Amino acid sequence: MKQIPDRKQLRLLGVLAATAICLYVCYLLALPFLPALTWALVLAIVLYPAHRWVEGRVGNRTLAALISVSVTAVAVGLPLVFVAQQIVREAINGATYLEGVIRGWNADGFVSNYPTLSAIAVWIKDRLDPAGSVAAFAQWLTGQSTSLLRGSINQVVMFVLTFYLLFYFLRDRKQALRGVESLSPLDAPETAYILSRFAETVHATLLGTVFVAAVQGTLGGLMFWWLGLPTPVFWGLVMGLLAIVPVLGAFVIWVPAAIYLALEGAWASAVTLALWGGVIVAGIDNLLYPMLVGNRLRLHTVVAFIGAVGGVVLFGASGLVLGPAAIAVAISLIDILKKRLNDQPGTGSGSGGDTEPAHRAGAD
C-alpha cells in the first residue's frame, strides 16, 4: 500500500515546482539579453586588473567604474563602427569591379586552343551568367548596406546595454560574488575553484584568440603592402577581426585578393599571396593557438575547437566564450564529483593555486 504524502511534503513539492517554473521564466526573460550579459561579464573579467588600478587611484568605486566603462566603450565602439562601414563599402566596390573584369575578359581567346575548356567556358557563360550573378550580388550588397543601417539600431541598443551591465559588474563585483557563493550548492573552496576555472577560460579564450588573430592580421596586411595592394592596414585589420570568428578567418579576404591579382594577370603575386595565406597565415593559428590557449585551458585542441564552434552555433558570437567555458566548468564539476565519490574532502589544499584566479577576477 502506497504511503500518501503528508501536507509538509506536498508543500515542499509545490515550492519546488513553483521555483522551477519561476527559474524557467527568468531564463526566458534573460535570454534576449544573453549576448550583452556574456560580453559584459567577459569584459569585467578581462578589465579587472586595469579597473582595480583605476579604483585605487580614484578612491570612489562608482566614479572608477564610470571611467573604466567610458574608456572601454570608446576604444571598442569606434573601430567597430569604422570597420563595419568600410567592409560593406569595399565589398560593393569589389563586386562591381569583378563584374567589369568578367564582362571584359575574352574567355574564348583564352581557351581557344583547348576544346574541352572552351566547351566548359561556353556552358558556364550560357547557363550561369557569371557577370550577371556578380552584378546581382553587388545590388544585393547595396540593399544589405541599407538593411545594416536600419538593423544597427538593435546593435546600438545591445552595445549600450553591454556597457550598462559592465558598469555594475565592475562596481558591485563583491556583492555579485557573494551572491554566487550563497546560491551555490558547493562549498566555498569548490565554488572558488569553479569560478577560477571560468575566469581562466575567459582569459585564455579571449586574449589568446585575439593575440593569434592580431598576428594573422599583421602577416596578411604585410603581404598586402609587399604586393602593392590598396589599403593594407585596413585589410590587415579586417583579416584580424575575421580571424577571431571560428567558422570564418583571414582567408575571406586574401582568397578574393589572390583571385583579383590572377584576373589582373599578376600570376606571380597571386601565387605568392595564396601560398602566404594558406601556409603562413593559416598555419600560424595551428602553431600559436595550442601554445597560448590550449595549455591554459587544460583542454585538448579538438575539445576547445568543438566548444568554440558549437558555442557560436548555439549562442551566436557570445558562444565563442560560453562554449569553452561550459566545457571547462563541466570538467571541473566532474573532478569535484569524483573527489567526493572517492571520499576526498572537496578540492583540498591542492586547489589553492586554482582558486587564486577567481580572486584576481573580482573577489578582491
Side-chain angles (χ1 to χ4, degrees):
M1 183 176 180
K2 294 183 178 181
Q3 184 178 3
I4 300 176
D6 58 22
R7 182 174 296 180
K8 186 176 181 180
Q9 290 176 328
L10 290 175
R11 286 180 177 177
L12 178 59
L13 290 175
V15 171
L16 290 175
T19 303
I21 293 173
C22 289
L23 287 175
Y24 180 68
V25 172
C26 291
Y27 163 76
L28 294 178
L29 291 173
L31 190 59
F33 305 101
L34 181 61
L37 285 166
T38 301
W39 292 115
L41 181 58
V42 167
L43 288 173
I45 293 174
V46 173
L47 293 173
Y48 173 70
H51 171 71
R52 188 178 181 183
W53 180 86
V54 173
E55 194 174 61
R57 295 297 184 274
V58 173
N60 183 284
R61 294 168 57 191
T62 300
L63 180 59
L66 183 61
I67 292 173
S68 298
V69 169
S70 301
V71 172
T72 306
V74 172
V76 173
L78 292 181
L80 286 179
V81 172
F82 171 75
V83 170
Q85 292 178 343
Q86 291 297 320
I87 286 177
V88 174
R89 185 180 306 167
E90 294 293 338
I92 295 173
N93 294 336
T96 303
Y97 168 80
L98 186 59
E99 177 194 0
V101 171
I102 293 176
R103 291 189 184 279
W105 188 39
N106 184 13
D108 295 334
F110 183 75
V111 298
S112 59
N113 296 328
Y114 306 94
T116 303
L117 293 179
S118 179
I120 294 175
V122 171
W123 184 88
I124 292 175
K125 183 177 180 180
D126 294 339
R127 302 293 179 86
L128 301 182
D129 187 18
S133 300
V134 173
F137 178 66
Q139 294 177 355
W140 178 80
L141 282 175
T142 304
Q144 286 299 111
S145 63
T146 305
S147 301
L148 180 64
L149 182 61
R150 292 196 301 265
S152 62
I153 297 176
N154 295 331
Q155 303 300 324
V156 169
V157 171
M158 196 61 65
F159 182 85
V160 173
L161 182 59
T162 297
F163 288 94
Y164 173 79
L165 295 171
L166 175 62
F167 172 83
Y168 290 103
F169 284 166
L170 291 175
R171 193 191 70 172
D172 303 328
R173 61 186 182 278
K174 294 181 180 179
Q175 295 92 316
L177 285 171
R178 284 196 293 265
V180 171
E181 292 174 353
S182 65
L183 294 174
S184 173
L186 305 174
D187 57 32
E190 291 171 342
T191 301
Y193 174 61
I194 295 297
L195 291 176
S196 73
R197 289 293 289 130
F198 182 83
E200 286 175 355
T201 303
V202 168
H203 273 285
T205 302
L206 188 64
L207 298 182
T209 301
V210 169
F211 180 80
V212 173
V215 173
Q216 290 182 293
T218 301
L219 293 174
L222 286 174
M223 182 52 64
F224 270 47
W225 170 77
W226 179 264
L227 297 176
L229 291 170
T231 58
V233 175
F234 168 73
W235 288 119
L237 176 62
V238 174
M239 281 187 278
L241 291 175
L242 290 175
I244 296 176
V245 183
V247 180
L248 299 178
F251 72 91
V252 175
I253 302 300
W254 64 257
V255 167
I259 295 174
Y260 159 79
L261 291 172
L263 293 175
E264 287 286 301
W267 291 100
S269 297
V271 172
T272 301
L273 180 57
L275 290 176
W276 182 264
V279 177
I280 303 300
V281 176
I284 204 71
D285 182 38
N286 298 325
L287 177 64
L288 290 181
Y289 190 86
M291 296 170 55
L292 298 175
V293 179
N295 293 337
R296 292 189 62 188
L297 286 181
R298 285 175 273 169
L299 298 175
H300 191 275
T301 304
V302 173
V303 177
F305 176 79
I306 291 175
V309 176
V312 170
V313 172
L314 286 178
F315 304 111
S318 56
L320 181 66
V321 174
L322 288 179
I327 292 178
V329 170
I331 292 176
S332 301
L333 289 172
I334 292 173
D335 289 340
I336 291 174
L337 181 60
K338 288 168 61 178
K339 290 178 181 179
R340 288 192 174 188
L341 292 177
N342 291 330
D343 293 329
Q344 295 181 5
T347 57
S349 60
S351 65
D354 291 326
T355 59
E356 179 61 23
H359 296 283
R360 291 200 302 268
D364 193 0

